[in-house]
Amino acid sequence: MFVIFGASGKVGHATAVALRNAGQPVRAVVRRARQGEALAKIGCEMATADLTDPASVASAIKGAAAVQMLCPVPVGDIDPASTMERMIDVAAHALRADPPPAVLALSDYGAELDEGTGLTRLFHLLEARLKPLATHLTLLRSAEHMQNWAAMLPVMLATGRLPSLHQPLDRAFATVATQDVGALAAELLLEAPSTKTPRIVSVEGPRRVSLIDVARAFSPAVGRDIVAEAVPRTAWAPMLQRAGLSPNHVQLITELYDAVNVGQIDVEKGVSEQRFGKTELPDACASMLAAHVKSR
């Protein structure tokens, strides 16, 4: 049984679908039962769990041949770092108490760094907690998800602008489609363990892009010219707070983009295997717009 945490999310859903298409049994773990309707229709066994609740996590991993673990950054939390640290501790404890033969943890570029990276530091903590597990461990570090820009579609449609914390606008960075991350995760879960030491795999898209490239890719999708706009650093916090983020969350994002913009967040050279997704940015932009229109 393959146990997939965060199965209602974009990456987890893609992993679950890929495993079911390969004829594998999947237990899809969601926080609320209604989130699992589509997964139940493709034959997944459903389980509900709260990553801050040890009993529900322990129940979800019972009998697993492999576990895909995701500890998401909690949106809308007053202190997201503390909550995510709690999730990590609960997950690590459950996996130590009842270790499956294999664990794949969804992590981030830059997770090898232990300070000065904001949100990414939490993925460093996740990796550190899981590395002592008595099981075959794969750490799948992904670049920034293309689908994150879907949140900016209302602004692009209304104003023709794409505001961003990425600076300078012409600096190329790694990005990847969530479906490619999920598909690779399924592939890695199906592989026989090849080493007793943690396996580190990094994944990004077929080519690196700048914010100017992102704006150009969205332009034909939305039917108007989109212009990339660098948000002045002094305006980051007010903008993020207007979006409803707590001061603690704002600080984590600020630290992250300070690190991103000086090139600190990237593939760990000489340590991780490098994989590349197939989804091109314009295709991802078109899919994001279609999903946005459908949801309205």
Side-chain angles (χ1 to χ4, degrees), residues 27-44:
R27 181 180 300 146
V29 185
V30 296
R31 189 167 184 179
R32 298 175 183 86
R34 60 181 172 80
Q35 295 174 317
E37 293 175 358
L39 292 161
K41 288 179 180 178
I42 63 170
C44 292

Side-chain angles (χ1 to χ4, degrees), residues 14 26 31 46 61 69 71 81 94 115 117 123 126 128 130 168 175 177-178 187 205 207 217 240 259 292 296:
V26 173
R31 189 167 184 179
M46 300 308 304
I61 68 171
M69 181 55 63
C71 290
E115 61 181 0
T117 59
F123 291 95
L126 171 66
L130 296 183
T175 185
T178 52
E187 178 185 327
R207 67 197 77 254
L240 294 170
H292 176 75
R296 294 178 70 180

Side-chain angles (χ1 to χ4, degrees), residues 24-272:
Q24 299 298 323
V26 173
R27 181 180 300 146
V29 185
V30 296
R31 189 167 184 179
R32 298 175 183 86
R34 60 181 172 80
Q35 295 174 317
E37 293 175 358
L39 292 161
K41 288 179 180 178
I42 63 170
C44 292
E45 174 186 316
M46 300 308 304
T48 57
D50 182 337
L51 278 168
T52 62
D53 174 46
S56 66
V57 174
S59 177
I61 68 171
K62 189 173 182 180
V67 172
Q68 178 167 301
M69 181 55 63
L70 167 67
C71 290
V73 178
V75 177
D77 197 291
I78 294 176
D79 190 356
S82 293
T83 301
M84 189 169 167
E85 287 172 8
R86 169 66 175 160
M87 293 178 185
I88 292 168
D89 286 342
V90 168
H93 177 78
L95 292 167
R96 283 196 306 268
D98 184 15
V103 172
L104 183 145
L106 297 170
S107 188
D108 251 5
Y109 272 25
E112 74 277 7
L113 305 173
D114 62 0
E115 61 181 0
T117 59
L119 288 172
T120 298
R121 180 189 62 80
L122 297 167
F123 291 95
H124 174 84
L125 178 63
L126 171 66
E127 291 190 4
R129 291 284 196 275
L130 296 183
K131 282 179 179 178
L133 289 175
T135 186
H136 175 67
L137 175 65
T138 299
L139 303 171
L140 179 54
R141 297 175 180 169
S142 70
E144 181 176 346
H145 293 169
M146 294 177 185
Q147 281 75 7
N148 290 350
W149 292 308
M152 300 306 298
L153 271 169
V155 175
M156 286 187 273
L157 289 165
T159 69
R161 298 182 297 108
L162 174 57
S164 178
L165 309 188
H166 279 282
Q167 298 175 8
L169 293 177
D170 61 355
R171 182 184 61 81
F173 57 92
T175 185
V176 65
T178 52
Q179 64 267 28
D180 290 345
V181 180
L184 175 58
E187 178 185 327
L188 295 172
L189 284 167
L190 289 169
E191 290 181 5
S194 58
T195 175
K196 292 182 179 180
T197 59
R199 181 183 186 184
I200 301 174
V201 181
S202 297
V203 59
E204 61 184 74
R207 67 197 77 254
R208 295 196 168 196
V209 299
S210 68
L211 247 295
I212 294 173
D213 295 324
V214 176
R216 286 173 178 163
F218 270 112
S219 294
V222 302
R224 66 181 299 178
D225 288 336
I226 302 299
V227 178
E229 179 181 276
V231 178
R233 193 182 183 287
T234 54
W236 290 6
M239 181 184 74
L240 294 170
Q241 287 171 350
R242 285 196 300 272
L245 300 186
S246 69
N248 288 324
H249 202 158
V250 169
Q251 182 61 31
L252 290 172
I253 292 177
T254 298
E255 289 178 1
L256 169 61
Y257 277 91
D258 279 341
V260 166
N261 290 338
V262 297
Q264 192 176 2
I265 305 293
D266 211 322
V267 176
E268 186 179 10
K269 301 295 185 182
V271 173
S272 63

